[in-house]
Amino acid sequence: MEKKKIGGTRKAVLDAIGFIAVVLLFLLYMVPFVLVLLNSFKLKRDIIKNPFSMIPEKGFIVKNYIVAFEKMNFLRSFGNSVMVTGLATLLVIILAAMVAYYFVRSRNMFSTVCFALMAASMIIPFQAIMIPLVSIYGASLHMLNHRLTLVFLHTGFAMSMSVFIYQGFIKSGIPIALEEAACIDGCSKVQTFFHIVFPLLKPVTATLVILNVLAFWNDYLLPSLVLGKKQIMTLPLSTYAFYGTYSADYGTIMAGLVLTVAPILILYLFLQKQIINGVVAGAVK
């Protein structure tokens, strides 16, 4: 009985230490976000004087959000971000699922080589090709300053990872007997994919939608290379309007960052249950 008591006490102590460690790591992770939120309600002088203060000397203000909303033209930039992110995500999901299905079911040298090349392309950093990319699309093809160009590039860069994930899921989780039964019932290849296979990809599709939406919405480097006109800038790009040549308005910058993150955060809170269910279902599958 004594040994059981000691073992139970030891486990409780280890659980408590683990819980405290997780809480400390969570607080450490949240510090930058909390500072951005607090400083978005401060004057510039209060931020420069003491950016870590919980209560500024001049008190909290809402003017930063009003100025940021107007200066970054939030509604227009929000619409650009929604258009680019939504269209690119839709294209990636549909095209990646179709390509992965072809790679799995068409066992030939062409599909094997193409899949190997797509998997290998994931190790190439974007920074290594961004200068040739801008040179080709800008100087040669004159395709810069178009939102559809950004959609096209987002789709291309996200295809490799999405196809790789879809390919593993289809290979291990979609029985070919279902497709054979659909073929016997008279379904074509296209009907079999969209009516039988694609609905079964819902768990991994939910995961890829979240990953791609976060990547496209928060991306700054690629849009900064493609979009130069203020009328077509996305939200991350519009925050650059607060930086001057010799100074920056830190209060409005923080407010602009909060406004940029807020839509995707609200979307995540509303879809949290579906996201978790999709991830768990994909893991079980």
Side-chain angles (χ1 to χ4, degrees), residues 145-201:
N145 289 321
H146 294 285
R147 287 171 293 185
L148 291 179
T149 303
L150 182 59
V151 171
F152 172 73
L153 294 177
H154 274 320
T155 303
F157 284 117
M159 280 292 291
S160 297
M161 183 194 70
S162 300
V163 169
F164 183 80
I165 295 176
Y166 268 132
Q167 194 265 357
F169 190 88
I170 294 174
K171 191 173 183 179
S172 61
I174 307 297
I176 196 171
L178 292 176
E179 301 170 35
E180 293 174 347
C183 182
I184 293 174
D185 289 338
C187 289
S188 63
K189 288 288 185 181
V190 176
Q191 291 174 329
T192 300
F193 174 78
F194 283 105
H195 293 288
I196 304 298
V197 177
F198 193 69
L200 295 176
L201 298 177

Side-chain angles (χ1 to χ4, degrees), residues 9 43 52 55 71 79 89-90 93 127 140 179 209 217 229 232 241 256 266 275 277:
T9 303
L43 293 172
F52 297 98
I55 302 178
K71 195 169 183 180
T89 303
L90 180 63
I93 293 301
Q127 291 78 4
S140 303
E179 301 170 35
V209 165
W217 186 273
K229 298 179 181 179
I232 58 176
I266 294 173
I275 295 168
N277 289 339

Side-chain angles (χ1 to χ4, degrees), residues 8-29:
T9 303
R10 182 181 179 184
K11 185 177 184 302
V13 172
L14 292 176
D15 290 342
I17 294 174
F19 177 76
I20 294 173
V22 170
V23 171
L24 291 176
L25 289 174
F26 172 75
L27 294 176
L28 183 64
Y29 179 80

Side-chain angles (χ1 to χ4, degrees), residues 129-144 225:
I129 60 174
M130 64 181 184
I131 301 301
L133 184 74
V134 174
S135 177
I136 292 173
Y137 284 94
S140 303
L141 301 178
H142 304 287
M143 292 178 61
L144 297 184
L225 297 173

Side-chain angles (χ1 to χ4, degrees), residues 67-248:
V67 174
F69 190 90
E70 296 175 352
K71 195 169 183 180
M72 68 191 298
N73 203 333
F74 180 80
L75 294 179
R76 184 179 62 194
S77 301
F78 177 78
N80 293 331
S81 291
V82 170
M83 181 264 183
V84 171
T85 302
L87 187 55
T89 303
L90 180 63
L91 289 176
V92 168
I93 293 301
I94 295 177
L95 296 178
M98 295 174 68
V99 172
Y101 176 70
Y102 171 77
F103 285 164
V104 174
R105 298 299 184 232
S106 300
R107 300 178 181 178
N108 51 51
M109 183 61 68
F110 177 76
S111 62
T112 303
V113 172
C114 288
F115 177 73
L117 291 175
M118 292 191 74
S121 68
M122 290 191 293
I123 68 174
I124 302 175
F126 170 73
Q127 291 78 4
I129 60 174
M130 64 181 184
I131 301 301
L133 184 74
V134 174
S135 177
I136 292 173
Y137 284 94
S140 303
L141 301 178
H142 304 287
M143 292 178 61
L144 297 184
N145 289 321
H146 294 285
R147 287 171 293 185
L148 291 179
T149 303
L150 182 59
V151 171
F152 172 73
L153 294 177
H154 274 320
T155 303
F157 284 117
M159 280 292 291
S160 297
M161 183 194 70
S162 300
V163 169
F164 183 80
I165 295 176
Y166 268 132
Q167 194 265 357
F169 190 88
I170 294 174
K171 191 173 183 179
S172 61
I174 307 297
I176 196 171
L178 292 176
E179 301 170 35
E180 293 174 347
C183 182
I184 293 174
D185 289 338
C187 289
S188 63
K189 288 288 185 181
V190 176
Q191 291 174 329
T192 300
F193 174 78
F194 283 105
H195 293 288
I196 304 298
V197 177
F198 193 69
L200 295 176
L201 298 177
K202 184 178 179 180
V204 70
T205 298
T207 303
L208 285 174
V209 165
I210 296 303
L211 292 176
N212 287 315
V213 166
L214 290 175
F216 299 155
W217 186 273
N218 296 323
D219 190 20
Y220 178 87
L221 183 56
L222 182 57
S224 68
L225 297 173
V226 177
L227 306 179
K229 298 179 181 179
K230 291 184 178 180
Q231 294 80 4
I232 58 176
M233 284 186 175
T234 57
L235 280 176
L237 285 182
S238 63
T239 59
Y240 193 73
F242 307 123
Y243 293 91
T245 305
Y246 302 103
S247 63

